[in-house]
Amino acid sequence: MWPYFPELLETPVPRYTSYPTAADFGPIETVSLAQAIAGASGDISLYLHIPFCEKICYYCGCNTGAANKRLRVMSYLAALHNEIETVASLLPRDARVRRVAFGGGSPNAIRAREFIDLVDAIHRNFWLEETEWSIELDPRSFDSVFASAIEDAGITRASMGVQTFSAHCQEAIGRVQGDALICRSIDMLRSAGVKSLNFDLMCGLPKQTEEDVADSLSYTRLLGADRIAVFGYAHVPHLVPRQKMIDPNALPGSKERFNMAAQAYDYLASHGYEAVGFDHFSLPHDSMAKAARDGTLWRNFQGFTDDQSEVLIGLGASAISGFSGLLAQNEKNSGGYRTMASQGRLTASHGIVRTSEDQLRGRIITELLCQGKSQLSPCLRAKHKGSLEPFVSRGLAVLEECELTILPDGLPYARVMALLFDSFRHSTAKAISSAN
């Protein structure tokens, strides 16, 4: 069991799927994204955002809406097709798409034929080379027709939003899905050729107990998930209005949440899974585990990944594109996105130009989260030696010369340590580092 230091966990910290984070973005010129796309070369990745779900869950903070208005869905997809063509026209010929990921929302909230039309558009407009395809799915609206589309598209990786198998927790978060439904979805996905299957699970849900977590972990293992992500629920109804449907008095306390995360780690690590970063787990044969073992694990807007591409182009409303010198987010509002993309325009007017200092700090943060250690520059070592002392003195990290290493007990505090190198949150880092 990990040691519990609540004073180091009092302040929320970013998940650091990028650095700087999306919260640090500001206005940028659309031409910046056009120039970055035109300058891309080698292996690149694509992410397509489908901001629709058949049913909206109370807990979800994703940019998504109900898929019950067909004209709105069709209009969005038409705009997405236009954006695909616009982006492809800017890419140089030597840029090769090696990864394509569909996320949301729930990509299976659109019709199977519409999904295949998007796949065909990617084949038609981009240069693909040994491309791996992945998709996020909502098992409640997944059927055999969409499973056939997945097989036709050549999808080999899929992620299902399971969250919990406990019926009372499902009811509390507005995501009721029986065990039989999950099993049926797994069977269809495996038959469709999916080799790597991920389950998203959550800790800290309303009415959730450690027994609930144990049951969900055990059943997930029994069902043979190749990867498991165990996320902590973030209750921010002031930012996500739909979360007002959740009774805050039913949420576990911070110590209970911490114990649930430790419980998940202990169980999975002792039952055949390898820890990947701080909240992901993978069976040894899976490419994610292999990346963690050989030091090539990385982090992008989709979380931990074995994707080594330095260029990720986001397509769709709110999707974020990442380049070494630029982070750019598309228009979040679906209506505004549809208008701009339908006119053949790039929609990103929000983001940040990454300075060399940003890239250095981003490398350190990513290495700490992915490899558990990072080589600091002498300047940064001298600057942060004092702020690291609370972690070193508690046996959570070691600083030898310029190498900072997170110790096993420090794993749940990895993001807190990463925050110390975040120049956009200097005051927060200072408060954490002064904890005794």
Side-chain angles (χ1 to χ4, degrees):
M1 182 69 71
W2 290 320
Y4 179 58
F5 299 110
E7 67 276 15
L8 298 179
L9 298 171
E10 290 176 352
T11 304
V13 296
R15 293 193 61 81
Y16 290 116
T17 53
S18 73
Y19 183 80
T21 72
D24 308 314
F25 290 1
I28 61 169
E29 296 294 330
T30 302
V31 68
S32 299
L33 177 57
Q35 292 171 344
I37 294 173
S41 62
D43 294 346
I44 68 170
S45 300
L46 302 179
Y47 169 78
L48 287 82
H49 188 74
I50 310 297
F52 302 107
C53 293
E54 287 289 342
K55 302 174 184 178
I56 305 299
C57 306
Y58 307 152
Y59 71 91
C60 181
C62 297
N63 177 30
T64 188
N68 56 353
K69 296 182 180 179
R70 281 298 301 161
L71 288 179
R72 182 176 61 177
V73 174
M74 293 168 64
S75 175
Y76 178 84
L77 293 176
L80 184 54
H81 276 276
N82 282 340
E83 186 186 21
I84 288 172
E85 294 177 0
T86 300
V87 168
S89 70
L90 295 171
L91 273 175
R93 289 286 295 271
D94 63 344
R96 295 289 188 269
V97 175
R98 299 296 300 275
R99 303 280 183 111
V100 179
F102 290 85
S106 301
N108 58 312
I110 64 175
R111 294 176 178 174
R113 181 66 256 172
E114 294 169 334
F115 171 69
I116 289 298
D117 286 343
L118 288 173
V119 172
D120 289 344
I122 293 171
H123 278 281
R124 189 168 58 249
N125 287 279
F126 294 97
W127 293 93
L128 276 62
E129 185 173 296
E130 298 179 350
T131 306
E132 290 186 344
W133 299 72
S134 63
I135 191 169
E136 297 174 1
L137 296 167
D138 183 343
R140 297 172 300 173
S141 53
F142 187 58
D143 57 23
S144 59
V145 177
F146 210 94
S148 295
I150 283 179
E151 184 174 14
D152 292 343
I155 299 284
T156 58
R157 298 183 180 184
S159 178
M160 285 204 304
V162 175
Q163 319 313 343
T164 177
F165 283 99
S166 300
H168 61 278
C169 294
Q170 292 180 357
E171 187 71 32
I173 63 175
R175 193 184 182 92
V176 177
Q177 49 191 21
D179 296 358
L181 182 65
I182 301 295
C183 293
R184 178 173 175 268
S185 297
I186 293 172
D187 290 341
M188 289 190 292
L189 286 169
R190 294 300 194 190
S191 297
V194 169
K195 301 293 191 298
S196 180
L197 178 60
N198 174 77
F199 276 19
D200 281 347
L201 301 179
M202 297 192 80
C203 292
L205 294 173
K207 302 182 179 180
Q208 191 176 39
T209 66
E210 291 185 23
E211 289 75 20
D212 294 326
V213 174
D215 288 343
S216 293
L217 291 169
S218 177
Y219 202 35
T220 294
R221 173 174 169 262
L222 178 66
L223 294 177
D226 302 282
R227 300 179 182 181
I228 303 170
V230 184
F231 298 115
Y233 169 64
H235 190 63
V236 285
H238 59 290
L239 298 176
V240 185
R242 63 178 70 111
Q243 291 185 351
K244 293 177 182 178
M245 298 291 292
I246 292 177
D247 179 7
N249 296 316
L251 295 172
S254 58
K255 182 66 184 322
E256 293 174 286
R257 288 167 56 92
F258 185 88
N259 288 343
M260 288 176 184
Q263 175 187 5
Y265 187 95
D266 289 343
Y267 178 86
L268 294 173
S270 62
H271 285 80
Y273 288 86
E274 296 185 10
V276 176
F278 52 85
D279 56 10
H280 282 55
F281 305 85
S282 181
L283 289 176
H285 72 263
D286 194 88
S287 60
M288 185 80 81
K290 295 175 183 176
R293 287 196 300 268
D294 63 23
T296 59
L297 184 71
W298 205 241
R299 196 155 173 80
N300 62 19
F301 301 109
Q302 297 163 60
F304 288 113
T305 179
D306 57 345
D307 183 2
Q308 292 298 297
S309 172
E310 293 185 358
V311 175
L312 172 63
I313 298 178
L315 303 166
S318 77
I320 301 177
S321 296
F323 306 85
S324 60
L326 177 73
L327 301 175
Q329 184 169 30
N330 286 354
E331 170 61 43
K332 294 181 181 180
N333 179 269
S334 181
Y337 166 81
R338 293 198 306 268
T339 298
M340 297 173 70
S342 296
Q343 296 171 351
R345 300 158 56 194
L346 297 176
T347 72
S349 58
H350 207 64
I352 192 166
V353 175
R354 300 179 75 219
T355 65
S356 57
E357 178 74 7
D358 291 336
Q359 294 178 50
L360 171 62
R361 290 178 177 273
R363 175 188 62 77
I364 293 171
I365 289 172
T366 300
E367 289 176 349
L368 287 175
L369 299 184
C370 293
Q371 281 83 48
K373 61 182 179 180
S374 183
Q375 192 74 20
L376 311 181
S377 67
C379 180
L380 283 178
R381 181 194 184 282
K383 183 175 182 178
H384 292 287
K385 183 179 180 180
S387 62
L388 287 167
E389 179 55 31
F391 300 92
V392 173
S393 62
R394 289 174 168 86
L396 306 178
V398 170
L399 181 61
E400 295 180 340
E401 299 298 331
C402 287
E403 184 170 83
L404 174 63
T405 302
I406 299 175
L407 297 175
D409 282 349
L411 194 58
Y413 306 93
R415 282 191 289 139
V416 185
M417 280 184 256
L419 180 134
L420 301 179
F421 300 94
D422 185 341
S423 62
F424 291 83
R425 290 165 181 78
H426 177 71
S427 58
T428 304
K430 185 176 181 180
I432 291 175
S433 65
S434 64
N436 294 311

